[in-house]
Amino acid sequence: MTTTLDESSANTAGPGLVEERLVLWYFLAALTYLFISFSGGLMMALQLLQWNPITGSEYFSPGRWRMVHTNAIAYGFLANSFLGALHWSIPRLTLKPVLSRPLSYFIFIAWQVVVVSTAVGILMGQAQGVEWGETPVWIDPLALVGLALVSINFMAPIVKTRGPLYVSLWYFMAAFVWTFLTYAMGNFMPQYYVSGTSAGAVAGLFIHDLVGLFVTPLGWGLMYYFVPILLKKPIWSHGLSLVGFWGLAFFYPLNGIHHFLYTPIPDFLEYGAIVSTIAVEFVVTTVIINFIGTIWGDSRAIITNLPIRWFFTGMTLYFITCAQCAMQVTHTFQKLIHFTDWVVGHAHLVMFGVFSMWLLGIMTYLFPRLLKQAWYSRSLCEWHYWLSTAGILIMFLDLTLAGIFQGFFWASLQPWEVSIEGSYPFWVVRLFAGLSMIAGQIVFVYNLWKTWRLSRQPRSSYSDAALA
């Protein structure tokens, strides 16, 4: 069933369907962690330029800050943003509230405890040796219980729905199951049950499945909800929606082993990962075509409608990052870019250029509705978009080039110092690109604060037309 529900129909279910205060809290928590993540990234960028502003303390050593940087963006910003957006969208898609509002508030508090405890544990040196699975072992059971409670709370209104389900709900249900299983796989199996090469294979699956089976289905599910609503028409092709969903389900779970090409992992597993990764690119193409078809005839909305601009910028970058992924998983290309800054640029494009873009677009759309107040400044919204977009594009191109140069430096067997000297100009550009992204978020928060101040003043009307 395509997403044709509009806001007016959802509002007919009566007031209180959506716990808007909780949505607001989740978004504010997400922005807090976004700045913590940016702080870690800035520390790493300065470290590469041989200037560490915090020296002499093992708790603030670059290795630990790097893990805070990645964990804060995944479990702090993305997870909180998704939870806020789900509290808005699922009751509207099902016309039923979540299972329990007290449970929703408990999950909010518990998840903040998990994220903050993870950061403290990492700074104290208690990290596990799995990328994005560094959470200290004593936090893992709490996080898993939290994910189970999230699933129960959101699945209750979905299972009560009669008739065909919206595509968004398909993605959400899949994400609830996949995220629980993925987190358990990455945090428990390498720690307690497998070791050596087997643990490496599991870690590779976990790294990629955290993107493909947690972030991706929630992100696309939200796009299938918000894009038709903002354009006021259904998604272009229900058939392509099905191809995208089932393609993700069949091909994505095996991709992760492509992180460990040229390792002792058996060749048949490596080639399986390569083939499935390239297959995902065809699936992604169908999804992109579906959304291009949806906006066909309304392309001016990309200029006039800020959330739509955020969404379609993220989709374009999603196609680029998937095309890049299909190329870099081949043995030939992997030989050149393995362990280089190419990989770092690719990761930043995925996490900020795609999913953060979508979530910032959702916030741009929802904050005025949550505060019942139009944005304080449309101009500042534009600055937020352009500083963020310019920053991530420059960073991506800069690190991609840096990775290629580094690969050739290493392949030519020149001294290590030569590759460092050759990388230095790219790392300077990386720093300023990151500062542009940070500046964009500062503008966003300033605009949000001014909007909140306006919302506290008496006003005569509230118009949707002025909100985005």
Side-chain angles (χ1 to χ4, degrees):
M1 185 175 182
T2 52
T3 304
T4 56
L5 186 73
D6 60 24
E7 288 184 285
S8 60
S9 62
N11 288 335
T12 59
L17 181 66
V18 174
E19 185 69 4
E20 295 188 358
R21 181 175 60 176
L22 193 58
V23 177
L24 184 64
W25 285 10
Y26 269 117
F27 285 169
L28 294 178
L31 290 175
T32 302
Y33 294 121
L34 180 62
F35 278 94
I36 292 174
S37 180
F38 273 135
S39 301
L42 181 60
M43 293 271 288
M44 284 305 302
L46 293 172
Q47 171 71 18
L48 290 171
L49 300 181
Q50 302 175 15
W51 185 64
N52 187 343
I54 302 177
T55 57
S57 171
E58 61 177 311
Y59 302 112
F60 297 100
S61 59
R64 297 184 187 185
W65 263 111
R66 194 202 70 81
M67 289 187 280
V68 170
H69 171 60
T70 54
N71 278 265
I73 201 70
Y75 303 117
F77 176 68
L78 294 179
N80 273 295
S81 300
F82 279 134
L83 288 170
L86 290 173
H87 272 95
W88 177 276
S89 59
I90 287 181
R92 286 167 179 265
L93 284 165
T94 61
L95 298 182
K96 296 176 177 60
V98 297
L99 176 64
S100 167
R101 291 189 176 179
L103 178 58
S104 291
Y105 280 99
F106 173 77
I107 292 171
F108 172 79
I109 296 170
W111 193 252
Q112 311 320 313
V113 170
V114 166
V115 176
V116 172
S117 300
T118 298
V120 172
I122 288 173
L123 292 176
M124 297 293 289
Q126 300 177 2
Q128 299 181 68
V130 177
E131 178 75 18
W132 274 359
E134 296 96 345
T135 46
V137 291
W138 54 274
I139 296 176
D140 289 335
L142 300 177
L144 208 58
V145 171
L147 291 173
L149 293 176
V150 168
S151 301
I152 293 170
N153 204 27
F154 285 127
M155 287 289 279
I158 297 175
V159 298
K160 293 177 184 174
T161 302
R162 295 290 176 263
L165 294 176
Y166 292 104
V167 173
S168 297
L169 295 176
W170 288 34
Y171 277 97
F172 295 158
M173 286 191 295
F176 296 145
V177 176
W178 289 339
T179 304
F180 182 87
L181 297 176
T182 298
Y183 191 89
M185 174 184 69
N187 288 273
F188 290 104
M189 289 185 67
Q191 182 72 26
Y192 301 111
Y193 301 110
V194 295
S195 59
T197 304
S198 300
V202 170
L205 290 173
F206 170 69
I207 293 169
H208 217 267
D209 285 355
L210 199 66
V211 177
L213 302 183
F214 159 50
V215 180
T216 300
L218 290 180
W220 277 119
L222 291 171
M223 289 301 97
Y224 275 106
Y225 171 72
F226 280 105
V227 169
I229 281 180
L230 267 66
L231 294 177
K232 301 187 187 314
K233 61 182 181 181
I235 201 73
W236 184 55
S237 167
H238 181 52
L240 286 181
S241 303
L242 296 178
V243 171
F245 176 82
W246 290 111
L248 181 78
F250 279 113
F251 294 117
Y252 221 115
L254 295 176
N255 282 4
I257 293 177
H258 68 219
H259 285 279
F260 294 99
L261 302 184
Y262 293 115
T263 67
I265 291 175
D267 283 350
F268 77 90
L269 287 177
E270 293 189 17
Y271 282 109
I274 292 170
V275 171
S276 62
T277 303
I278 295 173
V280 164
E281 177 56 26
F282 292 103
V283 174
V284 167
T285 302
T286 66
V287 178
I288 298 296
I289 290 173
N290 205 6
F291 277 91
I292 291 175
T294 304
I295 202 173
W296 196 262
D298 294 305
S299 56
R300 186 169 172 74
I302 294 177
I303 300 173
T304 59
N305 191 310
L306 273 168
I308 285 291
R309 193 191 305 168
W310 282 101
F311 296 159
F312 277 83
T313 303
M315 289 180 199
T316 304
L317 298 179
Y318 187 76
F319 181 78
I320 292 173
T321 191
C322 288
Q324 186 190 37
C325 197
M327 180 171 59
Q328 70 192 21
V329 298
T330 60
H331 276 103
T332 304
F333 206 78
Q334 187 67 208
K335 189 182 295 182
L336 176 67
I337 56 96
H338 202 68
F339 289 139
T340 69
D341 278 352
W342 170 294
V343 183
V344 183
H346 177 71
H348 279 81
L349 188 67
V350 174
M351 301 309 284
F352 190 88
V354 180
F355 299 107
S356 296
M357 281 271 185
W358 288 349
L359 291 168
L360 291 171
I362 290 172
M363 289 184 190
T364 301
Y365 174 69
L366 287 186
F367 267 132
R369 285 157 179 80
L370 296 170
L371 298 175
K372 306 295 185 291
Q373 171 64 51
W375 279 109
Y376 163 72
S377 168
R378 164 83 185 202
S379 176
L380 289 178
C381 287
E382 293 280 353
W383 276 103
H384 176 213
Y385 171 82
W386 287 109
L387 285 169
S388 302
T389 303
I392 187 60
L393 286 177
I394 293 172
M395 180 177 286
F396 165 66
L397 294 172
D398 173 69
L399 292 176
T400 299
L401 285 174
I404 293 173
F405 275 93
Q406 290 163 357
F408 280 116
F409 278 132
W410 298 345
S412 64
L413 300 180
Q414 296 187 64
W416 174 256
E417 291 77 8
V418 174
S419 70
I420 299 295
E421 292 171 2
S423 301
Y424 199 84
F426 293 105
W427 291 339
V428 173
V429 174
R430 167 190 171 148
L431 172 63
F432 283 99
L435 289 174
S436 174
M437 293 158 62
I438 294 173
Q441 310 325 305
I442 292 174
V443 168
F444 183 51
V445 171
Y446 174 74
N447 201 12
L448 177 60
W449 179 70
K450 296 292 285 187
T451 305
W452 175 79
R453 291 283 300 273
L454 285 177
S455 73
R456 311 296 291 178
Q457 299 175 3
R459 56 193 183 280
S460 57
S461 64
Y462 162 63
S463 170
D464 274 6
L467 297 183

